[in-house]
Amino acid sequence: QVQLVESGGGLVQYGGSLRLSCAASGSIYSVNTMGWYRQAPGKQRELVASITRGGSTDYSDSVKGRFTISRDSAKNTVYLQMSSLKPEDTAVYFCKGEILRSSLSYPRDYWGQGTQVTVSS
């Protein structure tokens, strides 16, 4: 009964910026680590950035200095601000949340449906 819904994907020019949002809803007790992953054609899904409940972040080397992950815990929402975009950033971007549905349960990962980001040269 947990859903993660992404928004903000689209087409952007080289060097441009784009902001992705992902809101978790449903039967949620707490949201722990949230992250963004991407998958390009013919490649495995890879971590782009993640953020813990305490605000610690982790980035892929390929996006460090260009992307910023943030979250609004009150809204169960995670954001990915993407700047200085390159054609190599073109991929389907997926949101993931480590979510507890109750205080008695263990956390599990939930995934969004994915949103296309295309960067033109």
Side-chain angles (χ1 to χ4, degrees):
Q1 296 179 354
V2 174
Q3 294 183 343
L4 276 69
V5 180
E6 302 174 348
S7 62
L11 175 65
V12 66
Q13 191 176 10
Y14 173 85
S17 299
L18 204 62
R19 186 173 186 253
L20 304 182
S21 300
C22 174
S25 62
S27 180
I28 297 174
Y29 176 76
S30 67
V31 180
N32 296 332
T33 300
M34 303 188 77
W36 289 95
Y37 295 72
R38 67 187 182 187
Q39 187 168 22
K43 296 184 178 181
Q44 291 188 347
R45 190 173 300 183
E46 64 173 349
L47 172 70
V48 177
S50 65
I51 182 168
T52 68
R53 184 164 51 187
S56 298
T57 58
D58 187 33
Y59 295 93
S60 167
D61 289 340
S62 63
V63 306
K64 287 181 179 177
R66 300 188 298 118
F67 291 10
T68 301
I69 188 170
S70 61
R71 67 188 292 168
D72 185 338
S73 295
K75 298 179 179 179
N76 290 329
T77 300
V78 64
Y79 306 93
L80 185 67
Q81 178 65 51
M82 303 183 292
S83 301
S84 301
L85 284 163
K86 307 173 181 179
E88 305 93 274
D89 297 318
T90 296
V92 177
Y93 283 70
F94 297 89
C95 172
K96 186 184 79 172
E98 184 184 73
I99 296 173
L100 282 78
R101 298 187 65 187
S102 76
S103 62
L104 301 178
S105 66
Y106 58 90
R108 59 160 289 181
D109 292 334
Y110 292 84
W111 290 87
Q113 76 284 356
T115 183
Q116 178 70 45
V117 172
T118 302
V119 184
S120 62
S121 60

